[in-house]
Amino acid sequence: MSKILSRQDLNFLLYEWLDAVALTSRERFADHSRETFDAALDTSEKMAEQYFAPHNKKSDANEPYFDGEHVHLIPEIKIAVDEFSRAGLMAAQHDYALDGMQLPTTIASACMAYFMGANVATAGYPFLTIGNANLLLAHGTPQQIDTYVRPLLLGRFMGTMCLSEPQAGSSLSDIKTRALLQPDGTYRITGNKMWISGGEHDLTDNIIHLVLAKIAAPDGKTIPGVKGISLFIVPKKLVNDDGSLGERNDVILAGLNHKMGYRGTTNCLLNFGEGKFKPAGKSGAVGYLVGVPHKGLSCMFTMMNEARIGVGMGATMLGYTGYLHALDYARNRPQGRHPKAKDPSSPQLPIIEHTDVRRMLLAQKAYVEGALALNLYCAKLIDEEKTAADETARKDITLLLDILTPIAKSWPSQWCLEANNLAIQVHGGYGYTRDYNVEQFYRDNRLNPIHEGTHGIQGLDLLGRKVVMQDGAAFKQLGRVIQQTIDAGLAASHADLKRCAALLADYVRRISVVTGTLHSAGDLNKTLANATTYLEAFGHIVMAWIWLEQSLAAAKNISAVQGDFYQGKFQACRYFYIYELPKVSVMIDLLSCLDTTTLEMQGNWF
């Protein structure tokens, strides 16, 4: 059995719950079938096992290093990335016109899950490249698409996103990177970018940086705040009109960041316009405007939102593979006896027979299988949004995706990290050693609550923007969809499902009330003071809905042949409602009080 991802669970989610095959009735996916979907998944599983998983520990132990001229990676990374590209997976969900497969995002995401679970650091290179290409497809000119997107999807080029700066961090309004318009319509970019994953390597012929910068007026001034931000293509090497590579652009690596985990992905400080390279005899990195001036952040959100959901999937898969490793260990590690069987001459039990170990495994199962379901649900929303029959349906789906995005990023990042914590605990002292994989999974996963918007930023986004945008339209749309699940649960013959549906209805009502309370405070600082608590309460309610959805699908499809699998789904749902959902009551009580303890705390009191 694979210790990356349970194919039985994946098949259940894709085909029994989400009915991914129904997507083939839509024109875009008409050439596909269950057979083509399975072939893509089979290929991904095999390649992940063969090319990605074997060097996961090696790339962690031998992180990239910079000799002053070049970045050095272990050779297995390039082999894996090349095989990924050669299989056509870089363009899996893209148009036939771009040599893609036109796979649904639902299936492409499931394929990518295998690579993230096998080796999240190596998977980071194609992950970023696909997002880079998607942004340019959405906002680039036909020439930019031909020049950059096609090589990106072939794996000849790789891509990055360059947002943060050393002095600005997540506060993008404070970026200082500048762009100066040139007579030929290009721009010269100067500045520094920090935390750039995949920012320098020799895996491909070229690296295409998407860079946020502010266009300088002739007097050198820029528009303050995020409204002055524009977006630019800044290639490591300039591309000639015929597609061949030209001069080296004026962008260089200043240094590598040395990370706790996720080590196989280079993470860089890049200098633009330092003058080491002078394209056309002039310092300044050559950049090409994407979209229109001063609208760069809205363009970049195309990649950022995709990356947020992708980060959630990465967090999920690290938790998922950790769970499967812990499950395998628990089944094979003999230790101890039951409390009432103390005869020292009797055989020891596999530790899975101990109640507390089953508790830890059940918690992991609830976290990781729930998170994967949420990630794939969001992927299907992307497919439905892209192929919706009418504009009204598309708007409703977009609203649902908007409000779920911060949850899809933050909930797996928090709770699948906890699954990794529990996986170490199941292994006991062995889990804390580098001889077993689970300690690396934890270190790798610790990044996910940080990058693509910290946990706290997701809370501010959810409470400050998403639940109130368009007069609460997204919040109401999610409520309608959850209510459909509640109604189905209340109508079910399964007693546990009825009980869960009634509980979920009560928590949905309570989160709705407290949302109104928070936004009637009359003081935005007070409203947002406990935004992270709101995020966590909201996320647990969403996950309770996802687990009820899974259980309803299990009840519909249960068979004697796979009885144990479905019983496992019911028990994980039961666990979540008994052990996890009650935590929301304490959070809602806190939110209802409009507590200002943290808001009123003073820096000099620490």
Side-chain angles (χ1 to χ4, degrees):
M1 185 185 78
S2 170
K3 286 194 282 187
I4 297 174
L5 173 59
S6 164
R7 185 60 177 270
Q8 187 176 20
D9 186 31
L10 188 59
N11 285 345
F12 167 77
L13 295 175
L14 291 174
Y15 301 129
E16 297 182 43
W17 175 46
L18 293 174
D19 191 16
V21 176
L23 290 168
T24 62
S25 65
R26 304 193 178 199
E27 182 180 356
R28 178 173 179 80
F29 310 122
D31 292 339
H32 288 290
S33 63
R34 169 76 184 260
E35 287 70 29
T36 62
F37 293 168
D38 281 345
L41 293 168
D42 290 344
T43 297
S44 297
E45 181 175 11
K46 182 179 178 181
M47 289 182 60
E49 293 275 9
Q50 184 175 355
Y51 294 108
F52 281 67
H55 70 271
N56 191 41
K57 290 180 74 68
K58 183 177 180 180
S59 62
D60 178 67
N62 299 273
E63 63 179 311
Y65 70 91
F66 181 41
D67 65 9
E69 291 292 332
H70 299 283
V71 168
H72 298 269
L73 308 176
I74 62 170
E76 290 89 341
I77 294 176
K78 179 170 174 53
I79 293 169
V81 170
D82 286 349
E83 289 295 331
F84 185 96
S85 299
R86 192 173 295 117
L89 291 169
M90 204 76 82
Q93 68 198 70
H94 291 93
D95 295 351
Y96 295 139
L98 293 167
D99 296 321
M101 302 180 194
Q102 282 189 200
L103 276 175
T105 301
T106 311
I107 303 301
S109 295
C111 290
M112 194 65 182
Y114 276 108
F115 297 99
M116 289 177 159
N119 189 322
V120 73
T122 295
Y125 296 104
F127 168 68
L128 286 163
T129 299
I130 292 167
N132 184 296
N134 288 341
L135 183 150
L136 291 175
L137 283 169
H139 303 289
T141 65
Q143 182 182 1
Q144 289 171 342
I145 291 170
D146 283 341
T147 303
Y148 302 108
V149 174
R150 291 182 183 278
L152 286 166
L153 296 182
L154 288 171
R156 283 185 50 229
F157 296 173
M158 289 265 162
T160 73
M161 54 193 303
C162 300
L163 291 78
S164 299
E165 298 179 5
Q167 82 292 338
S170 299
S171 181
L172 296 179
S173 62
D174 295 316
I175 66 171
K176 296 180 179 179
T177 299
R178 293 192 171 206
L180 188 62
L181 180 62
Q182 304 297 298
D184 63 357
T186 64
Y187 290 78
R188 289 289 175 144
I189 312 295
T190 56
N192 314 100
K193 292 291 179 179
M194 178 59 111
W195 313 118
I196 310 307
S197 295
E200 180 57 35
H201 54 74
D202 289 325
L203 296 174
T204 51
D205 297 337
N206 206 356
I207 302 174
I208 309 305
H209 303 292
L210 291 175
V211 181
L212 292 181
K214 294 186 176 183
I215 297 174
D219 62 2
K221 292 183 179 179
T222 59
I223 298 173
V226 296
K227 292 181 180 180
I229 295 175
S230 300
L231 179 63
F232 300 89
I233 298 167
V234 184
K236 175 181 175 180
K237 297 177 183 176
L238 300 180
V239 182
N240 298 321
D241 291 341
D242 63 358
S244 63
L245 296 182
E247 291 183 86
R248 176 68 189 266
N249 206 357
D250 193 7
V251 49
I252 66 165
L253 176 67
L256 294 173
N257 297 304
H258 302 284
K259 299 173 291 177
M260 171 182 173
Y262 232 110
R263 291 177 178 171
T265 306
T266 57
N267 191 270
C268 309
L269 170 61
L270 298 178
N271 290 346
F272 294 83
E274 188 177 274
K276 180 174 181 179
F277 298 96
K278 296 187 176 182
K282 184 179 178 182
S283 62
V286 177
Y288 308 90
L289 182 69
V290 178
V292 298
H294 316 308
K295 298 294 182 182
L297 197 54
S298 62
C299 292
M300 186 60 94
F301 264 109
T302 299
M303 188 172 181
M304 290 165 67
N305 284 333
E306 180 179 336
R308 288 161 84 188
I309 295 173
V311 164
M313 179 64 89
T316 294
M317 290 312 304
L318 285 164
Y320 206 123
T321 189
Y323 160 62
L324 293 180
H325 278 75
L327 180 60
D328 180 71
Y329 183 84
R331 284 175 169 159
N332 291 287
R333 163 69 172 173
Q335 183 176 313
R337 298 162 184 85
H338 283 315
K340 290 186 177 181
K342 291 297 187 182
D343 181 356
S345 65
S346 64
Q348 289 188 320
L349 296 171
I351 63 172
I352 198 169
E353 296 300 323
H354 296 302
T355 302
D356 194 57
V357 173
R358 291 203 296 270
R359 174 191 65 82
M360 291 187 285
L361 291 170
L362 189 51
Q364 290 173 70
K365 180 180 177 71
Y367 299 151
V368 304
E369 291 184 10
L372 180 60
L374 175 61
N375 295 146
L376 292 176
Y377 181 85
C378 289
K380 191 180 181 190
L381 288 179
I382 293 170
D383 289 323
E384 292 177 341
E385 181 185 42
K386 186 181 294 185
T387 61
D390 59 74
E391 188 61 28
T392 299
R394 185 175 293 108
K395 286 181 179 178
D396 286 344
I397 295 164
T398 301
L399 288 170
L400 199 54
L401 191 57
D402 281 346
I403 199 168
L404 287 176
T405 293
I407 304 301
K409 191 275 183 188
S410 63
W411 199 92
S413 297
Q414 180 178 10
W415 293 101
C416 292
L417 179 65
E418 176 57 19
N420 290 131
N421 181 38
L422 290 171
I424 293 172
Q425 192 72 13
V426 168
H427 282 73
Y430 290 111
Y432 196 64
T433 69
R434 290 191 295 274
D435 300 295
Y436 288 78
N437 293 324
V438 288
E439 65 85 27
Q440 183 188 339
F441 297 149
Y442 183 92
R443 287 187 291 104
D444 287 346
N445 215 352
R446 187 59 188 83
L447 176 62
N448 289 315
I450 300 172
H451 69 162
E452 301 311 326
T454 62
H455 195 59
I457 286 174
Q458 304 303 322
L460 294 173
D461 178 48
L462 178 66
L463 180 57
R465 292 184 62 248
K466 297 298 174 61
V467 300
V468 292
M469 68 181 189
Q470 299 180 38
D471 197 27
F475 187 82
K476 294 171 187 174
Q477 178 62 14
L478 178 60
R480 285 190 287 269
V481 172
I482 294 177
Q483 187 60 49
Q484 292 172 3
T485 306
I486 291 170
D487 292 343
L490 293 172
S493 58
H494 198 296
D496 264 2
L497 298 187
K498 286 186 174 182
R499 179 183 60 81
C500 290
L503 283 170
L504 180 57
D506 184 53
Y507 279 101
V508 169
R509 177 192 61 79
R510 292 175 68 188
I511 199 72
S512 180
V513 170
V514 82
T515 302
T517 300
L518 289 165
H519 278 284
S520 63
D523 179 346
L524 187 60
N525 285 333
K526 184 181 278 191
T527 297
L528 299 179
N530 293 298
T532 299
T533 300
Y534 182 86
L535 172 77
E536 293 177 4
F538 198 104
H540 254 44
I541 292 170
V542 166
M543 194 50 58
W545 162 56
I546 290 292
W547 266 113
L548 182 55
E549 278 276 311
Q550 288 192 74
S551 293
L552 287 166
K556 180 180 177 181
N557 296 295
I558 191 169
S559 66
V561 177
Q562 294 182 309
D564 288 346
F565 173 81
Y566 292 113
Q567 289 299 332
K569 285 290 181 185
F570 293 138
Q571 200 72 357
C573 180
R574 180 181 175 189
Y575 173 88
F576 196 87
Y577 275 80
I578 292 174
Y579 281 76
E580 293 292 334
L581 192 56
K583 297 174 182 177
V584 175
S585 289
V586 177
M587 298 182 208
I588 289 178
D589 287 346
L590 171 64
L591 294 167
S592 299
C593 295
L594 291 170
D595 182 71
T596 57
T597 299
T598 55
L599 180 64
E600 293 169 358
M601 181 64 182
Q602 302 297 306
N604 58 2
W605 294 353
F606 287 101

